[in-house]
Amino acid sequence: MALPDLSVTISAPTEHDPTQPTPEELAAMHHLAEVALGNSGQASRCANFLLAWADADSFGAYDPTDIWACDPTVIRDTVTVFGLIARVSECPELLDPTIRDELAAIATKWRR
């Protein structure tokens, strides 16, 4: 069985400010939040990832093996967001304040 292509293209720097998320990274972040608010088997895995990024002390750490239970699109988005996290060293709501309400809803659904 052939493995799906999960590669993420890393392009050469452009005029984009490297301390800010790209449109693709924002889209990946919001897609993971949308999945986390759903009822699929991978919803809790997306929630774990986003909540750990937002506040691991309060919401718990992320188990990287969670990614094994995700489809290729969610895996690609997780890798994209992980790259964002590594590059900018900021919490999600500081990168995009619109994610705050989604994170609150995710925390309510999965942690309370």
Side-chain angles (χ1 to χ4, degrees):
M1 172 195 256
L3 295 174
D5 178 15
L6 301 175
S7 60
V8 174
T9 303
I10 300 175
S11 56
T14 62
E15 294 181 30
H16 179 264
D17 179 353
T19 66
Q20 295 301 309
T22 66
E24 293 80 14
E25 291 166 334
L26 289 173
M29 182 170 64
H30 285 282
H31 179 247
L32 292 176
E34 179 183 323
V35 173
L37 288 168
N39 294 314
S40 69
Q42 58 196 356
S44 66
R45 281 119 175 130
C46 291
N48 291 342
F49 177 71
L50 292 172
L51 292 174
W53 177 25
D55 188 349
D57 289 339
S58 295
F59 297 121
Y62 174 69
D63 179 355
T65 64
D66 276 354
I67 209 164
W68 297 344
C70 296
D71 68 39
T73 301
V74 168
I75 293 170
R76 198 170 9 259
D77 286 347
T78 302
V79 170
T80 297
V81 172
F82 192 81
L84 168 67
I85 295 166
R87 190 182 80 249
V88 301
S89 302
E90 291 288 353
C91 293
E93 64 276 4
L94 296 177
L95 297 175
D96 182 0
T98 66
I99 195 79
R100 185 178 308 235
D101 290 340
E102 291 170 285
L103 290 171
I106 293 166
T108 297
K109 178 176 180 151
W110 294 104
R111 296 295 191 272
R112 295 187 182 158

